[in-house]
Amino acid sequence: MYIGPEMYRPLTDKARQREIFAHTVTRVEVETHSYCNRRCDYCPNVVGDRLGSNVRMKQGVYDRLLGDLAEVGFKHNFILNSYNEPLFDRAILERIAEARVALPHARIMIYTNGDYLTPAYVDELAEAGLDYMHVSIHLKQGDRYTDVYVLDRIAEVAHRTGLRVRFKTLRAGEIIIARFDHPRMEIETRAIDFTQHGNDRGGLLPDLSPEKPRTEPCNFVFSHFHMGFSGNVVPCCHIRSDRPEHAKHVVGNLGQAGSIFDIFFGAKAAAWRRGLIHDREKTGPCATCSAPLLLNHPNWRGQMLRAYRQYVQPVEAAQAAADRLSISPSSA
């Protein structure tokens, strides 16, 4: 992950944009359509605003995304969903196949609630080029997490798909992780108690907000790229691209911008990185975010704070000094 000086101010050098993007962005998440068939209590979709007419991403916007990623030889995680249910619209098979051709070295992934899975659909997904499918075990609206329900639901998915299940992790009353055997792609299933491990999704779910404001830095705005079905790009997966409460957090729209690189290195995205690399209390939707800092390097936190002191703090200090020295018309 790159945390050098170009990350905190607008960058217009096209060659440098592409060089840094290829080096630092390891996760691209894109909604190919809008619809989700569920209203889970621990998801912003609980209000039911994803149950209306299905809106597909414009083909031109999707093609531009793939073209930009192909230009830098993107070879990391490419996730074809966000707050939608990817398997509701069978056009997902075409989107996967297009991505497979454009990004031959990427890891193409989806996260699904499993409601539309059949043996034939699983095989079609593998044939299209899907590498990984995560089947999330969700609760019925109003229900509380129980291991019995989760195990029954996993057994149901195994029965409907005809796949053998192997359990990996079972922490009673908290989390269950298992894998389904398939010869051509990795399929994992997971259930967690969101009352213990949920996220308030940028303040949209206040019942899941932690008591204390976040102070920890965040790596998402440095290494992730998230785009909703309308082409709106947001700083991270916890911001919904189409909710009016989050409209001011949109950093760009690919249908209007020249490239994904112009958005990722634009002024709005740079401002998010300036605000999330330090260890002070966070503001806005990040103030109540509980997402952990997930980095493999043992001293990433220290490196991020050094980058803040070197690249961001001097600019903040200069701006604060300028503000103190400025004279308003009313006081002149």
Side-chain angles (χ1 to χ4, degrees):
M1 187 179 79
Y2 183 72
I3 55 176
E6 296 97 330
M7 302 301 283
Y8 315 103
R9 58 178 183 267
L11 176 64
T12 58
D13 183 299
K14 294 188 181 301
R16 188 64 175 144
Q17 284 179 345
R18 286 150 177 79
E19 180 184 0
I20 296 176
F21 190 98
H23 175 69
T24 196
V25 176
T26 57
R27 182 183 180 93
V28 172
E29 182 176 300
V30 54
E31 284 182 332
T32 58
H33 60 270
S34 64
Y35 187 85
C36 181
N37 63 306
R38 284 182 173 249
R39 296 177 60 181
C40 299
D41 295 324
Y42 39 82
C43 174
N45 295 358
V46 68
V47 297
D49 58 343
R50 288 299 186 99
L51 288 169
S53 299
N54 185 40
V55 181
R56 289 179 176 175
M57 174 172 284
K58 292 180 179 179
Q59 187 67 47
V61 173
Y62 187 65
D63 290 344
R64 183 179 299 179
L65 171 70
L66 292 182
D68 287 345
L69 293 174
E71 187 178 343
V72 297
F74 185 76
K75 58 183 179 181
H76 302 288
N77 294 332
F78 185 68
I79 296 92
L80 281 166
N81 66 276
S82 185
Y83 287 99
N84 62 328
E85 168 46 48
L87 299 187
F88 165 77
D89 189 340
R90 287 179 59 83
I92 190 67
L93 296 169
E94 298 173 43
R95 303 293 86 81
I96 293 170
E98 291 162 349
R100 183 77 289 158
V101 172
L103 311 173
H105 303 296
R107 189 177 190 224
I108 301 176
M109 309 165 61
I110 62 170
Y111 289 70
T112 173
N113 58 37
D115 291 348
Y116 298 97
L117 285 174
T118 64
Y121 206 172
V122 172
D123 289 341
E124 287 178 283
L125 290 164
E127 184 65 27
L130 190 64
D131 295 302
Y132 173 89
M133 179 163 61
H134 182 114
V135 182
S136 300
I137 303 299
H138 293 299
L139 308 179
K140 296 177 181 178
Q141 196 170 13
D143 282 359
R144 303 283 294 182
Y145 179 98
T146 68
D147 293 334
V148 172
Y149 174 82
V150 168
L151 292 170
D152 285 347
R153 175 65 175 159
I154 291 175
E156 176 192 340
V157 174
H159 177 73
R160 286 196 295 105
T161 58
L163 298 174
R164 178 179 178 181
V165 62
R166 300 174 185 268
F167 288 91
K168 296 171 54 179
T169 302
L170 201 165
R171 294 202 294 270
E174 183 179 0
I175 184 170
I176 296 176
I177 302 174
R179 298 185 70 173
F180 295 112
D181 289 342
H182 191 275
R184 289 184 290 173
M185 68 173 166
E186 182 182 355
I187 305 176
E188 186 174 59
T189 184
R190 183 183 65 169
I192 63 174
D193 183 353
F194 283 93
T195 62
Q196 299 182 56
H197 303 291
N199 189 289
D200 75 350
R201 305 295 186 178
L204 294 177
L205 300 167
D207 288 346
L208 296 178
S209 299
E211 294 181 1
K212 296 182 179 179
R214 181 188 182 95
T215 58
E216 192 167 50
C218 179
N219 63 294
F220 288 8
V221 290
F222 292 86
S223 57
H224 296 182
F225 184 87
H226 297 269
M227 186 167 71
F229 64 90
S230 67
N232 281 345
V233 178
V234 290
C236 80
C237 61
H238 298 301
I239 305 295
R240 246 191 60 173
S241 65
D242 63 325
R243 279 287 287 267
E245 300 96 322
H246 285 173
K248 63 182 178 181
H249 306 314
V250 173
V251 298
N253 183 285
L254 188 56
Q256 302 165 6
S259 70
I260 61 175
F261 314 113
D262 293 333
I263 297 173
F264 188 78
F265 292 101
K268 290 184 177 181
W272 279 87
R273 290 189 282 269
R274 291 196 303 272
L276 287 170
I277 196 170
H278 55 65
D279 60 354
R280 304 196 308 267
E281 287 189 5
K282 305 302 181 285
T283 60
C286 303
T288 55
C289 181
S290 55
L293 180 63
L294 296 175
L295 293 168
N296 293 327
H297 194 286
N299 194 36
W300 261 116
R301 182 178 284 98
Q303 291 188 34
M304 294 179 80
L305 296 179
R306 284 195 294 273
Y308 166 70
R309 289 191 290 267
Q310 183 175 358
Y311 304 125
V312 179
Q313 197 170 41
V315 177
E316 291 179 338
Q319 184 60 54
D323 291 343
R324 288 193 299 269
L325 292 173
S326 65
I327 301 176
S328 68
S330 61
S331 61

